[in-house]
Amino acid sequence: MSPNPPAEIRLAYSRAASLVAIAHGEQYRWAHTALEQAGFTKRDDGSYSTPGPDVRAATAKLLPLAHRHHATVDVSPRPFLGDIADRIAAQLPGT
């Protein structure tokens, strides 16, 4: 596969959702399709969360579907950025 695959899925651990998937790349729609077929749930922010508490089963189902849709899957070494943003926002004054 090329150094910049047309569709990519980045997985990140989240306190709120256990595992969050973010699709990107020129053909990100292929990654969206793989995530939806694997049972991931689309969130309000455009990311996806695992279909249940079993992260291992969710990723095992996702990997062959991602491959079929020409999407690569990688795991972020960092926690989900949305969790960090929520913690920062909670410290700000106002609503």
Side-chain angles (χ1 to χ4, degrees), residues 29-81:
R29 288 181 184 92
W30 294 350
H32 282 211
T33 300
L35 288 162
E36 290 165 4
Q37 288 179 353
F40 280 65
T41 304
K42 191 165 187 178
R43 299 162 29 117
D44 291 338
D45 62 7
S47 65
Y48 289 79
S49 60
T50 52
D54 191 350
V55 171
R56 185 175 288 196
T59 54
K61 188 173 183 180
L62 174 62
L63 290 175
L65 289 166
H67 181 71
R68 187 177 313 146
H69 291 285
H70 308 285
T72 60
V73 178
D74 66 348
V75 178
S76 174
R78 297 186 175 118
F80 178 55
L81 185 60

Side-chain angles (χ1 to χ4, degrees), residues 10-22 43 45-49 76-87:
R10 169 71 52 104
L11 301 175
Y13 287 100
S14 168
R15 286 184 174 191
S18 75
L19 189 67
V20 173
I22 302 161
R43 299 162 29 117
D45 62 7
S47 65
Y48 289 79
S49 60
S76 174
R78 297 186 175 118
F80 178 55
L81 185 60
D83 290 349
I84 296 166
D86 289 343
R87 282 185 271 167

